[in-house]
Amino acid sequence: MNSAPSEDPTAPKDEEEAHHLLSPTSSSSLPSPSPLINCSSQKCLPVKEEEEEVAYESREKILIIDMESDGGDYSSVPPFSFKKLWLFTGPGFLMSIAFLDPGNLEGDLQAGAIAGYSLLWLLMWATAMGLLIQRLSARIGVATGKHLAELCLEEYPNWAGLLLWIMAEVALIGADIQEVIGSAIAIKILSRGVLPLWAGVLITASDCFIFLLLENYGVRKLEAVFAVLISTMAISFAWMFGDTKPSRNELLIGLLVPKLSSRTIRQAVGVVGCVIMPHNVFLHSALVQSRKIDPNKKGRVQEALNYYTIESSVALLVSFMINLFVTTVFAKGFYGSKQADGIGLVNAGQYLEEKYGGGLFPILYIWGIGLLAAGQSSTITGTFAGQFIMGGFLNLRLKKWLRALITRSCAILPTIVVALIFNRSESSLDILNEWLNVLQSIQIPFALIPLLTLVSKEQVMGVFRIGPTLEKVAWTVAALVIVINGYLLLDFFSSEIHGLLFGFLVCAGTVVYLAFILYLISHGDGPFSNWLNVPFFKGYRSAGN
């Protein structure tokens, strides 16, 4: 340390950590003086207040070794160290769970059954696009010391921040319903139908309490549990891949030769749409703050960004391989078959058992174990994301356990209702899944646009704002994802709209939806914002600021 020694070394350290946690980017975010602050004693800020205001308490954060051993040269990046890479490993793998949730697995199996190997190239490039978005999410969290929901609260006027929070919560609840029902389906499979869907939902709901228990043992213990769950998925689906023996040649052709037909366009849209999860964009920007990184030290920030890039790349490579295993297994077994158009999470295990039978370990149970690991891990990360979203947007001063309980209840209660209503047939659950996919597709712009707006702003990011080239690439990727999901929405509503009144309501909602997207784009300094600097949007911007 460069500070001079004092009789009580803990006091300045506490003050310094509190200053770092409260973010140096905005002086307005610093707490105003109050009778609670007494700098003549060690407790300059009550511990309870600090717990309520930050994503991670100072005592929860992981200390990176040798962080301060370079003699005070904070402008240079230290040499690469595998030991440091290991200490930074964790947030990227938690983030990668969103690429492996039951909704993604259903998209994989349907793509394989209907399109065969022909969409593997799209899966690969969609994962690469997801990596770019998640890198930007991690960048904004490390460079500012705040996560995306907190920054949105500061950046946008109250009405826009409230709408963004509602959209994020709706997306999270939609994702959670898919994840919980996927886990419940796995429990039903593994119990041979003894436990119905609603019972599986209740069992899965208990993960909130498991999550709270794991948090008490520290960040690394929680990350270790997720490593076990991801390993379980990898082993299960790799086992299935080995049992079914998909064609290696067709697999390579599917990866290297882009193919797309009118028959597979819906599955192609699903592959891309499942990769970008709105709540995951918010989550990753908070997860990276579990390591002690001072945003004032440029060399340390760049070091953290380098390690997080490596870690996220490895994590998403693992997730890509797992998705590839699932797609190719169903491509080998069901492409061109009469079951291809009707296959889903509910009946996939049964079809696998009929196709490949028993063996040393029946493939039905292998599928069930992998699906259960995917459902359980994604519901826990959903709870995690819900805490950050609610706390950041609303600036709630709640205990973590209470915030987690509220977040879990918001998702579990509608999930139980949905499980009871839609458990009548396989087709009803498939219809539910389509609606949930549409619901999340609608929310994607409200995570991507604020992220790209903020990560491009020098006032927010300082020297770590992205450059013009990366900014254009990122906006192009975001536009591509939004357009693809827009096609899904158009296709879905054109087939579902019946009646004049319903059509009018959908059209009116679409106008409001597009107007809000245009407002968010105009609010930033991105490559498209200059096109939208019309008086209407300027008036809202000046009024909000």
Side-chain angles (χ1 to χ4, degrees):
M1 297 292 291
N2 295 329
S3 58
S6 62
E7 292 182 4
D8 185 0
T10 59
K13 184 178 178 181
D14 287 345
E15 291 176 22
E16 183 184 354
E17 288 178 349
H19 174 69
H20 292 162
L21 290 169
L22 289 168
S23 176
T25 58
S26 174
S27 58
S28 62
S29 64
L30 295 173
S32 58
S34 74
L36 292 174
I37 299 177
N38 180 9
C39 289
S40 62
S41 67
Q42 270 188 314
K43 298 181 180 178
C44 286
L45 259 178
V47 176
K48 186 170 79 170
E49 293 237 350
E50 185 183 0
E51 288 177 353
E52 294 167 346
E53 292 181 357
V54 295
Y56 291 92
E57 302 172 50
S58 178
R59 61 181 174 82
E60 291 178 316
K61 294 190 176 186
I62 296 169
L63 179 65
I64 306 300
I65 57 171
D66 299 327
M67 189 64 89
E68 306 291 347
S69 65
D70 58 352
D73 182 12
Y74 302 133
S75 60
S76 61
V77 179
F80 177 82
S81 164
F82 281 104
K83 195 169 185 179
K84 280 190 179 181
L85 177 60
W86 172 248
L87 290 174
F88 276 105
T89 298
F93 282 90
L94 267 70
M95 167 273 296
S96 71
I97 293 294
F99 290 70
L100 298 168
D101 70 353
N104 276 279
L105 298 183
E106 183 160 31
D108 292 338
L109 66 88
Q110 289 175 345
I114 296 174
Y117 301 87
S118 65
L119 296 181
L120 292 179
W121 66 275
L122 188 60
L123 175 64
M124 179 176 67
W125 284 106
T127 305
M129 290 192 296
L131 175 60
L132 172 62
I133 298 300
Q134 295 304 148
R135 277 189 59 198
L136 297 180
S137 177
R139 187 184 190 93
I140 204 169
V142 174
T144 65
K146 295 185 177 184
H147 56 83
L148 183 57
E150 291 175 312
L151 292 169
C152 286
L153 181 66
E154 295 178 1
E155 177 69 18
Y156 294 100
N158 291 337
W159 68 270
L162 182 62
L163 279 178
L164 287 174
W165 170 67
I166 292 172
M167 294 299 184
E169 288 289 351
V170 168
L172 179 61
I173 290 171
D176 217 8
I177 290 174
Q178 282 185 313
E179 292 155 0
V180 171
I181 287 184
S183 187
I185 290 171
I187 291 171
K188 186 176 180 180
I189 290 172
L190 295 174
S191 68
R192 296 298 292 185
V194 173
L195 294 173
L197 201 63
W198 63 265
V201 170
L202 293 177
I203 293 171
T204 306
S206 65
D207 69 12
C208 175
F209 304 101
I210 297 172
F211 163 74
L212 293 171
L213 180 65
L214 291 173
E215 264 201 312
N216 292 331
Y217 289 97
V219 174
R220 292 299 269 179
K221 301 293 191 302
L222 182 66
E223 291 171 350
V225 170
F226 279 95
V228 171
L229 291 170
I230 292 173
S231 300
T232 302
M233 280 185 270
I235 293 170
S236 298
F237 297 131
W239 192 326
M240 286 173 51
F241 182 86
D243 273 356
T244 57
K245 297 179 176 60
S247 170
R248 299 328 194 248
N249 290 336
E250 290 189 64
L251 189 156
L252 287 174
I253 292 173
L255 283 174
L256 300 177
V257 180
K259 293 180 184 177
L260 194 61
S261 67
S262 57
R263 185 173 180 273
T264 61
I265 188 70
R266 193 178 183 90
Q267 283 66 45
V269 170
V271 167
V272 177
C274 286
V275 168
I276 307 296
M277 305 290 284
H279 72 273
N280 207 39
V281 177
F282 290 98
L283 175 64
H284 200 193
S285 64
L287 290 175
V288 294
Q289 294 176 43
S290 59
R291 273 61 177 171
K292 284 193 176 184
I293 303 161
D294 186 349
N296 288 321
K297 299 171 182 176
K298 298 177 183 178
R300 295 301 172 265
V301 172
Q302 187 59 56
E303 177 190 40
L305 292 175
N306 294 343
Y307 284 121
Y308 280 136
T309 296
I310 297 171
E311 185 237 6
S312 297
S313 300
V314 172
L316 289 191
L317 176 61
V318 172
S319 74
F320 168 70
M321 293 303 299
I322 292 173
N323 286 316
L324 182 141
F325 289 153
V326 174
T327 303
T328 53
V329 163
F330 285 88
K332 170 66 184 299
F334 303 101
Y335 177 56
S337 69
K338 61 181 181 180
Q339 302 105 323
D341 290 325
I343 199 165
L345 282 183
V346 180
N347 55 22
Q350 177 188 341
Y351 285 161
L352 285 170
E353 187 176 38
E354 292 173 357
K355 183 77 175 181
Y356 297 105
L360 179 63
F361 193 60
I363 196 168
L364 171 67
Y365 296 120
I366 299 172
W367 167 253
I369 290 170
L371 181 59
L372 181 62
Q376 288 292 330
S377 57
S378 56
T379 52
I380 298 175
T381 54
T383 303
F384 219 174
Q387 288 190 76
F388 296 127
I389 289 171
M390 181 177 289
F393 274 113
L394 302 184
N395 195 23
L396 284 183
R397 298 171 179 264
L398 295 176
K399 294 287 189 181
K400 281 188 175 181
W401 67 267
L402 181 58
R403 207 156 58 205
L405 191 60
I406 293 172
T407 302
R408 207 78 202 97
S409 300
C410 289
I412 287 299
L413 294 178
T415 304
I416 294 174
V417 173
V418 162
L420 292 173
I421 294 175
F422 287 88
N423 194 27
R424 300 170 186 169
S425 65
E426 295 174 3
S427 60
S428 63
L429 282 172
D430 289 338
I431 293 171
L432 168 66
N433 189 60
E434 284 188 23
W435 276 95
L436 292 175
N437 285 337
V438 168
L439 182 68
Q440 291 185 76
S441 297
I442 290 173
Q443 316 305 326
I444 285 177
F446 307 119
L448 290 188
I449 296 173
L451 172 67
L452 298 186
T453 297
L454 292 168
V455 83
S456 306
K457 276 197 171 185
E458 190 173 357
Q459 303 95 307
V460 176
M461 299 292 293
V463 297
F464 290 101
R465 62 156 294 187
I466 58 175
T469 303
L470 181 57
E471 182 181 4
K472 289 175 183 176
V473 170
W475 276 103
T476 302
V477 168
L480 182 63
V481 171
I482 292 171
V483 167
I484 288 174
N485 282 278
Y487 172 85
L488 174 64
L489 298 178
L490 184 64
D491 179 65
F492 180 80
F493 284 117
S494 63
S495 61
E496 294 293 329
I497 292 178
H498 303 289
L500 186 61
L501 178 60
F502 186 48
F504 174 77
L505 292 175
V506 169
C507 290
T510 302
V511 170
V512 175
Y513 174 79
L514 292 175
F516 189 42
I517 289 177
L518 293 177
Y519 166 77
L520 292 176
I521 294 174
S522 70
H523 193 82
D525 301 318
F528 305 112
S529 62
N530 291 333
W531 301 351
L532 300 172
N533 279 332
V534 295
F536 176 79
F537 290 113
K538 282 184 178 179
Y540 268 103
R541 290 174 66 178
S542 59
N545 294 327

